[in-house]
Amino acid sequence: MSSVDLKWKVLFSVSVIVNFTCIVLVIIQSRTRLSWTREAAIEAENVASISCSGHGRAYLDGLVLREDGTPICECNACFTGPDCSLFKPNCAVDVDSGNPMFLEPFWKQNAGSSGVMVAGWHRMGYEFEDGSLISKQLKSVIHKLHDTVGNANTSNKYILFGAGSTQLLNAAVYALSHHTPYSSPTKVVASAPYYPVYKSQTELLDSKKYKFSGDTSSWKNKTRSTSTTTNFIEFVTCPNNPDGHLNKAVLQGKFARHVYDLAYYWPHYTAIPSPMDEDLMLFTLSKLTGHAGSRFGWAIVKDKDVYDRMVEYIDLNTYGVPRETQLRALKLLNVVLQGDRREMFRFAHTIMKTRWEKLAEILSTSKRFSIEQLPSQHCAFSKQVRPPSPAFAWLKCEAEEDEECHNVLRKSDIIGRKGAAFGVENRYVRLSVVNSRDDFDLLLQRLQDLVSKHRSIVDGVMSL
Amino acid sequence: MSSVDLKWKVLFSVSVIVNFTCIVLVIIQSRTRLSWTREAAIEAENVASISCSGHGRAYLDGLVLREDGTPICECNACFTGPDCSLFKPNCAVDVDSGNPMFLEPFWKQNAGSSGVMVAGWHRMGYEFEDGSLISKQLKSVIHKLHDTVGNANTSNKYILFGAGSTQLLNAAVYALSHHTPYSSPTKVVASAPYYPVYKSQTELLDSKKYKFSGDTSSWKNKTRSTSTTTNFIEFVTCPNNPDGHLNKAVLQGKFARHVYDLAYYWPHYTAIPSPMDEDLMLFTLSKLTGHAGSRFGWAIVKDKDVYDRMVEYIDLNTYGVPRETQLRALKLLNVVLQGDRREMFRFAHTIMKTRWEKLAEILSTSKRFSIEQLPSQHCAFSKQVRPPSPAFAWLKCEAEEDEECHNVLRKSDIIGRKGAAFGVENRYVRLSVVNSRDDFDLLLQRLQDLVSKHRSIVDGVMSL
C-alpha cells in the first residue's frame, strides 16, 4: 500500500469515527426532544431572557408593545425605562403593603425545579377524584412541611384550603359563629394594633351571625364573668401584624373561641420556640414562599364540625381553590422540602436578618423615631438563639408634635400605613421590610437622610 | 493517481459531507435546547404519556403509588383498574353535576398551543403593575371574545374577575344591595326552576343587607305598584339552568335591579340571536372552555359605582383571582381565538348537537318521560337556524305515581338532581349532558333500557 493510500485510509477512518459520534448525538438529542410542551417552554424561556437591568422582570402575560410580540419589562417602583435602568430620583418609596418580593431571587435561582407545565387539559372537572376540592398530595406536603419546621402540630387535625388566609379568616368566623339560636351576634375581636382585614372583612356583609367589636382588652373581664352568654371569636396573630409580638390569647372561658393567624410564624420572621397546637390555625403561602399573587392559604382545624362548616363556606363562596394554584403550590412546597429542607429558610432568614441589622443601625442613632425591642428566643428549627426579624417595622414618632407620623415620613418620600388602620393612634406607622431589594434599599436611604437631617437640626439647636 | 487512492478519496469526501451535516444538526439542536423549563416539560410529557385506556387520565399532581414515581390513572366514573380498562357493570351513572368534561378532548387535541409554563417566580406580588388585581391582557382578550361570538356588548363597560361566576353572584348581590339606609333588606329573587346556589349563597351569612325571597313570580305585581319602596335583585339566567329557557327579566320598575347569569349563553348550548346588553352580566370559563376546576369567571358591568363595589367585595373576600389562573385563562382564550376563531365552538356544538339528537330519539318513544320542547332560532354567530342543545336535560316524569322522579331514575342507576333543589316539584329531574363521553354513553344506555322496559310493560298490559 502506498503512503498516499494509507493517508486517505487514516483520514477516512477518523472521519467515520466523528460521523458515528455525531450520529449518536443526533439520535440522543432527538429522543429527548420535547413534543407538545415545546411551544410553551420556548415561550417561557424567551420571556425570562428579556433583560430588565435587575430592576424589573417581564412576564408571559405582560403587556405587548414591541413589534416582535415580546412583553414589556415591569419595573420595580422608582425605576423606569424600557429596560428599567432609569432611576426616578424624587420617587416616593411605597412600603405600605407587605409585598413579599424579597423571596423572588430564591425562585429565580431555583427556576429549574420550581417551574410547572400546566397542560391545557389539566384537571378541568369541578372536583378531585374523591369528590373533594382539595389535592391530597398537597395536603400531605403541608403535613410534611409543618413536621419539618416544627411550627404547628398537624396530627389528628383537618386541613382545608382557601384563597390566601384572606378567605379563610371569614370562613373561620362563619364556622365559629354558627350556633342556634343567635339572640345576640357573636363578637369578633382582636388585640390592637391588629391587621385591618379582621375588621373590614367581618363588617363587609353586615351579618346577623357576628359583629366586629373592636379591641380584645375591652372584653377581657366580660368573658371571665360567669353570667355572660355572649360568644366571642378572638383573632390571635402570632407574630403580630404589625408589631411582631408573639401574641397569646386574651379571652378565656367556654364562650371564647380563637382563630390563630400564623401567617408570619416561620423561621424567616421569628424564632420558632415550639409547635403551635391550637384548635384553628391559619397559614398562607404569601409569607412563606413569597407567592402572594397565588392566593393560597390553608387552615388546620381540630374539630370536625368546625372543619365541615369552613368547607361549606369555601364551597358556597368560590367552590374551592383553582386547580392550577394547587398544582403550583405543590411544586413550590416540594422545592422548599427538597435537599436538606432548609435552603429556602436559610435564604429568607439571611435576608431578613441583614435588613433588620441595617434598619436597627440607622434607627439606633435617632431620638425622633423608635421601634419596639422584641426579645431573642431559642429557635427549635435553627437550633440557635435568634432575635426576631419581623415582616414589618412598627415605627413610633417620639416627638410630641409628630402625632401624624405617616405625614412626617411622607414628607421624606416614604409611604407607610398609619396607626389608625390598625386600631391605634397615628403616632405609629407600619413599614414593610419584605418588599423587593430596590424598595428596601431606598427605604434605608430615605430613613438615613431623615434621621441625619433631624440629628443635624438637634445638634444645631444644642450648639446655639 | 491509482484507482485505490481515488476510492479512498471519494469515500473520505462523502464522509466529510456527512460529518458537516451532522455537526450542523447537533449545533442547531443544542441551540434550541431548553434550559430551566426542561425538567418541568419532561415531567409533564411523561405524565401525559401514561395510558389510561381512554377512560381516564393521569395528572401531574395525582397520587403516586407506583415505585417509579409516576402518578396513577384517575378513571372516569364506572371504570376502574390500573389503566381504567375495567368497566364496573352495576355502577350508577352520576349526571347530577354539570361537569363540562365533554370539552376535554378539544384541549388534548390542542395540547401544543394550550399548555402554559408557569415560572417559579411568575407574578409573586399582590398586585399587577397598575395596582389592580386584574390582568389587562386577559381583559382585552375577553372583549375580543365577546366581539367574536356576539353574545354580549362589552363596549363602555367595566370587566372584573372572580372565582368562577360563583364568587361574582354574591359580589353582585352585595354591590346592588348597597344603599343606605336599608330599613328592609333587599329581596333577592329568581324564577323557578332556578340554580340552587342563588338561594344557598345569599342565605349563607344571614346579611342584614339582603334576603333570599324565593320565586320571582310572587313579587311581580309588587314591583309594579307605585307604593313599594322595597329593593329587588332578580337573577335572570339565560339560557336557564336547569330548563334551557332563554329567560327574560320579570320584575320592572326603579326598585328592580337584575343580575344576568349568562354562563350558558354560548353557541355550544343555544342559538345566539343577538348580543346581550345588560347592566350586569356574568360569564364563566367553566361552561365556555370546560375548565370548571380553574374557578375563573368575569362580570361585565355598566355602572361605575356597582363595579367599584364588586371590586371591593372581591378584594376583601379573596384579594383577587390567582395570577396562575389568570395566566392560564389568557392562554386558553387565545387558543379559542386562534385561526378562524370558530374551531372550539364547532367542536363543542357538534358534540352537544349529536348528544341531543340521540337523547331526543330515545325519549321520543317514551310516554313516561318528557322533556320540554324549546324553539329553534337564528344564530347570528353560526348564521344558521339552530335548535337549542342545552347543558342539561330537564326531565319530567309524566306518570301520576312518579312524583319522585329522581327515585325512578335512581332505581335504573341514573343519579340526577331532583326538582326541589331548583325550587319546583320532584316530578322534575335535571340530568347533565356535558359530562365525559363515558358518562353520556352510559346515561343513554340506561335511559334506553328504562324506556324499553316501560314500553314492554305497557305493551304487555295492552295485549292482555
Side-chain angles (χ1 to χ4, degrees):
Chain A
M1 193 183 277
S2 71
S3 70
V4 177
D5 195 28
L6 186 69
K7 192 186 89 189
W8 285 115
K9 218 170 169 177
V10 168
L11 277 173
F12 175 69
S13 305
V14 170
S15 178
V16 162
I17 292 169
V18 172
N19 260 337
F20 180 76
T21 319
C22 219
I23 288 169
V24 167
L25 268 176
V26 169
I27 291 172
I28 290 175
Q29 285 190 352
S30 309
R31 279 208 173 172
T32 56
R33 203 176 158 80
L34 295 163
S35 70
W36 62 270
T37 58
R38 200 167 166 75
E39 188 178 325
I42 291 173
E43 192 180 42
E45 293 207 359
N46 286 344
V47 170
S49 68
I50 294 170
S51 163
C52 305
S53 312
H55 300 297
R57 72 290 296 155
Y59 293 120
L60 263 182
D61 54 358
L63 286 190
V64 176
L65 297 177
R66 301 178 198 177
E67 278 185 7
D68 64 356
T70 55
I72 57 161
C73 280
E74 301 186 17
C75 306
N76 290 337
C78 300
F79 286 85
T80 188
D83 63 350
C84 304
S85 59
L86 302 173
F87 178 68
K88 294 192 264 182
N90 296 319
C91 160
V93 57
D94 188 349
V95 285
D96 174 288
S97 162
N99 211 14
M101 296 298 286
F102 79 108
L103 283 156
E104 192 189 48
F106 178 81
W107 298 105
K108 289 204 165 181
Q109 285 167 27
N110 289 274
S113 52
S114 65
V116 64
M117 173 65 77
V118 188
W121 45 270
H122 178 76
R123 292 209 184 275
M124 293 176 60
Y126 280 106
E127 291 101 12
F128 283 85
E129 218 194 4
D130 62 356
S132 84
L133 307 177
I134 282 172
S135 156
K136 272 189 193 166
Q137 295 292 88
L138 181 50
K139 205 159 62 175
S140 106
V141 168
I142 288 174
H143 278 289
K144 214 199 280 183
L145 171 74
H146 289 295
D147 278 357
T148 301
V149 179
N151 61 342
N153 181 357
T154 63
S155 57
N156 299 318
K157 294 203 180 86
Y158 300 93
I159 290 182
L160 78 149
F161 305 158
S165 44
T166 311
Q167 189 185 20
L168 293 165
L169 297 172
N170 202 223
V173 168
Y174 168 76
L176 296 178
S177 60
H178 194 90
H179 48 89
T180 39
Y182 41 94
S183 52
S184 69
T186 300
K187 288 186 162 47
V188 179
V189 297
S191 296
Y194 51 75
Y195 178 47
V197 175
Y198 302 148
K199 179 175 190 289
S200 49
Q201 201 186 57
T202 303
E203 289 177 343
L204 182 71
L205 297 180
D206 214 348
S207 171
K208 288 179 205 153
K209 293 176 192 273
Y210 50 77
K211 187 181 164 61
F212 190 77
S213 305
D215 190 10
T216 317
S217 59
S218 21
W219 302 101
K220 199 171 170 180
N221 297 328
K222 196 125 187 178
T223 49
R224 281 190 187 151
S225 122
T226 49
S227 65
T228 186
T229 56
T230 305
N231 289 288
F232 282 87
I233 296 170
E234 179 188 355
F235 280 110
V236 185
T237 319
C238 177
N240 193 34
N241 170 4
D243 66 8
H245 277 273
L246 295 180
N247 281 357
K248 288 191 162 58
V250 172
L251 305 186
Q252 303 298 338
K254 68 173 182 167
F255 291 103
R257 311 289 289 269
H258 303 103
V259 178
Y260 279 79
D261 180 347
L262 304 178
Y264 301 92
Y265 198 57
W266 296 107
H268 323 357
Y269 311 110
T270 174
I272 306 292
S274 61
M276 290 279 190
D277 192 13
E278 304 295 339
D279 287 1
L280 204 168
M281 303 182 279
L282 304 181
F283 287 93
T284 166
L285 204 63
S286 308
K287 298 307 187 304
L288 167 63
T289 66
H291 292 83
S294 294
R295 316 303 311 123
F296 182 78
W298 62 97
I300 304 169
V301 186
K302 195 173 177 187
D303 185 63
K304 176 76 164 64
D305 286 346
V306 174
Y307 166 78
D308 285 343
R309 286 196 293 267
M310 287 184 76
V311 167
E312 185 200 5
Y313 177 96
I314 301 288
D315 280 13
L316 276 170
N317 186 205
T318 57
Y319 213 66
V321 170
R323 293 339 152 238
E324 42 280 70
T325 302
Q326 297 195 38
L327 174 63
R328 190 173 183 216
L330 177 67
K331 189 81 180 184
L332 297 169
L333 293 183
N334 274 328
V335 174
V336 171
L337 293 175
Q338 79 193 2
D340 74 350
R341 302 184 172 186
R342 277 155 197 268
E343 199 188 329
M344 191 203 67
F345 297 106
R346 268 194 298 266
F347 180 97
H349 183 253
T350 305
I351 292 185
M352 291 306 294
K353 183 171 161 265
T354 317
R355 289 189 175 188
W356 271 99
E357 283 164 0
K358 289 179 181 167
L359 254 184
E361 194 189 327
I362 291 173
L363 293 170
S364 67
T365 62
S366 168
K367 286 203 169 79
R368 191 177 185 191
F369 304 104
S370 69
I371 37 173
E372 213 143 348
Q373 296 306 313
L374 300 164
S376 291
Q377 282 198 70
H378 183 260
C379 173
F381 175 71
S382 64
K383 299 184 176 55
Q384 291 173 337
V385 173
R386 277 186 177 181
S389 44
F392 303 103
W394 185 235
L395 202 76
K396 187 181 179 186
C397 276
E398 295 284 351
E400 204 172 326
E401 68 275 21
D402 291 348
E403 277 174 27
E404 300 291 323
C405 192
H406 59 285
N407 287 342
V408 175
L409 296 173
R410 190 61 190 81
K411 278 180 200 149
S412 292
D413 288 330
I414 299 170
I415 304 171
R417 193 173 293 181
K418 60 183 175 185
F422 305 90
V424 297
E425 44 177 343
N426 281 340
R427 193 168 284 287
Y428 289 91
V429 176
R430 191 192 79 171
L431 306 175
S432 169
V433 183
V434 294
N435 292 25
S436 69
R437 191 181 155 171
D438 280 341
D439 278 358
F440 183 75
D441 287 350
L442 197 55
L443 169 68
L444 271 193
Q445 192 190 312
R446 295 272 157 84
L447 276 178
Q448 177 77 69
D449 294 349
L450 184 61
V451 167
S452 310
K453 199 169 71 188
H454 184 250
R455 213 169 38 223
S456 59
I457 294 169
V458 172
D459 291 349
V461 171
M462 301 271 282
S463 66
L464 282 179
Chain B
M1 196 183 270
S2 72
S3 70
V4 176
D5 197 26
L6 185 71
K7 191 187 89 188
W8 285 116
K9 216 168 171 179
V10 169
L11 277 174
F12 174 70
S13 307
V14 169
S15 179
V16 163
I17 293 169
V18 172
N19 260 335
F20 181 76
T21 320
C22 218
I23 287 168
V24 167
L25 268 176
V26 169
I27 290 171
I28 290 176
Q29 286 192 350
S30 308
R31 281 208 172 172
T32 56
R33 206 177 155 79
L34 295 163
S35 68
W36 63 270
T37 59
R38 201 168 164 73
E39 188 178 326
I42 290 173
E43 193 181 41
E45 292 208 359
N46 285 345
V47 169
S49 69
I50 295 171
S51 162
C52 304
S53 313
H55 300 298
R57 73 290 297 155
Y59 292 120
L60 263 181
D61 55 359
L63 286 189
V64 176
L65 298 175
R66 302 179 199 175
E67 278 185 6
D68 62 358
T70 55
I72 58 161
C73 281
E74 300 187 16
C75 306
N76 290 338
C78 300
F79 286 84
T80 188
D83 63 352
C84 304
S85 60
L86 302 173
F87 177 68
K88 295 192 263 181
N90 296 318
C91 160
V93 57
D94 187 348
V95 285
D96 174 289
S97 162
N99 211 15
M101 296 297 286
F102 80 107
L103 283 157
E104 191 190 48
F106 177 81
W107 298 104
K108 290 203 165 180
Q109 284 166 26
N110 289 275
S113 52
S114 64
V116 63
M117 172 65 75
V118 188
W121 45 271
H122 179 75
R123 294 211 183 273
M124 293 176 61
Y126 279 107
E127 290 101 12
F128 283 86
E129 218 194 2
D130 63 356
S132 84
L133 307 177
I134 283 172
S135 156
K136 271 190 193 165
Q137 296 291 87
L138 181 50
K139 206 160 61 176
S140 106
V141 168
I142 288 173
H143 278 288
K144 213 198 284 182
L145 171 74
H146 288 296
D147 279 357
T148 302
V149 178
N151 61 343
N153 180 356
T154 63
S155 56
N156 299 317
K157 295 201 180 84
Y158 301 92
I159 291 183
L160 78 150
F161 305 158
S165 43
T166 311
Q167 189 185 20
L168 293 165
L169 297 172
N170 202 224
V173 168
Y174 167 77
L176 296 178
S177 61
H178 195 88
H179 48 89
T180 39
Y182 40 95
S183 52
S184 69
T186 300
K187 289 187 163 44
V188 180
V189 297
S191 297
Y194 51 74
Y195 178 48
V197 175
Y198 301 148
K199 179 177 190 288
S200 49
Q201 201 187 56
T202 303
E203 289 177 342
L204 182 71
L205 297 179
D206 215 348
S207 170
K208 289 179 206 154
K209 293 176 191 275
Y210 50 80
K211 186 179 164 60
F212 190 77
S213 304
D215 190 9
T216 318
S217 58
S218 22
W219 303 101
K220 200 171 169 179
N221 297 328
K222 195 127 187 177
T223 49
R224 281 190 186 150
S225 123
T226 48
S227 64
T228 186
T229 56
T230 305
N231 289 288
F232 282 86
I233 297 169
E234 179 188 356
F235 280 109
V236 186
T237 319
C238 176
N240 193 35
N241 170 5
D243 65 9
H245 277 273
L246 294 180
N247 281 357
K248 288 191 162 59
V250 173
L251 304 187
Q252 303 298 338
K254 67 171 183 169
F255 291 103
R257 312 290 289 269
H258 303 103
V259 178
Y260 280 78
D261 180 346
L262 303 178
Y264 301 92
Y265 198 55
W266 296 106
H268 322 357
Y269 311 110
T270 174
I272 306 292
S274 62
M276 290 279 191
D277 193 12
E278 304 296 339
D279 288 0
L280 205 167
M281 304 183 279
L282 304 181
F283 287 93
T284 166
L285 203 65
S286 307
K287 297 307 187 302
L288 168 63
T289 67
H291 292 83
S294 294
R295 315 305 310 121
F296 181 77
W298 61 98
I300 304 169
V301 186
K302 194 173 179 188
D303 186 65
K304 175 77 163 65
D305 286 345
V306 174
Y307 166 78
D308 286 343
R309 286 197 292 268
M310 287 184 75
V311 167
E312 185 200 6
Y313 178 96
I314 301 288
D315 281 12
L316 276 170
N317 187 205
T318 57
Y319 213 66
V321 170
R323 290 346 148 232
E324 42 280 69
T325 302
Q326 298 195 37
L327 174 63
R328 191 175 183 214
L330 177 67
K331 188 82 180 181
L332 298 169
L333 293 182
N334 274 328
V335 174
V336 171
L337 293 175
Q338 80 193 3
D340 74 349
R341 302 183 172 189
R342 277 153 197 269
E343 199 189 329
M344 191 203 67
F345 296 106
R346 269 195 297 266
F347 181 98
H349 183 251
T350 305
I351 292 186
M352 291 305 294
K353 184 171 160 265
T354 316
R355 288 189 175 187
W356 271 98
E357 283 165 1
K358 290 180 180 167
L359 254 183
E361 194 190 327
I362 291 174
L363 293 170
S364 67
T365 61
S366 167
K367 287 205 168 78
R368 192 177 185 189
F369 304 105
S370 69
I371 37 173
E372 214 143 345
Q373 296 306 312
L374 299 164
S376 291
Q377 283 199 70
H378 182 261
C379 174
F381 176 71
S382 64
K383 300 183 175 56
Q384 291 173 337
V385 173
R386 278 187 176 180
S389 44
F392 303 103
W394 185 236
L395 202 75
K396 187 181 178 187
C397 277
E398 295 285 352
E400 203 172 325
E401 67 274 21
D402 290 347
E403 276 173 28
E404 301 290 323
C405 193
H406 60 284
N407 286 343
V408 175
L409 294 174
R410 190 63 190 83
K411 278 180 201 147
S412 292
D413 288 330
I414 298 170
I415 303 172
R417 192 174 293 180
K418 58 184 175 184
F422 305 90
V424 297
E425 45 176 342
N426 281 340
R427 192 168 286 286
Y428 290 91
V429 176
R430 191 192 78 171
L431 305 176
S432 168
V433 184
V434 294
N435 293 25
S436 69
R437 189 180 157 172
D438 280 342
D439 278 358
F440 183 74
D441 287 351
L442 198 55
L443 169 67
L444 272 192
Q445 192 189 313
R446 295 273 158 83
L447 275 179
Q448 178 74 71
D449 293 351
L450 185 62
V451 166
S452 310
K453 199 168 71 188
H454 185 250
R455 212 169 40 221
S456 60
I457 293 169
V458 172
D459 291 349
V461 171
M462 301 272 282
S463 66
L464 281 178

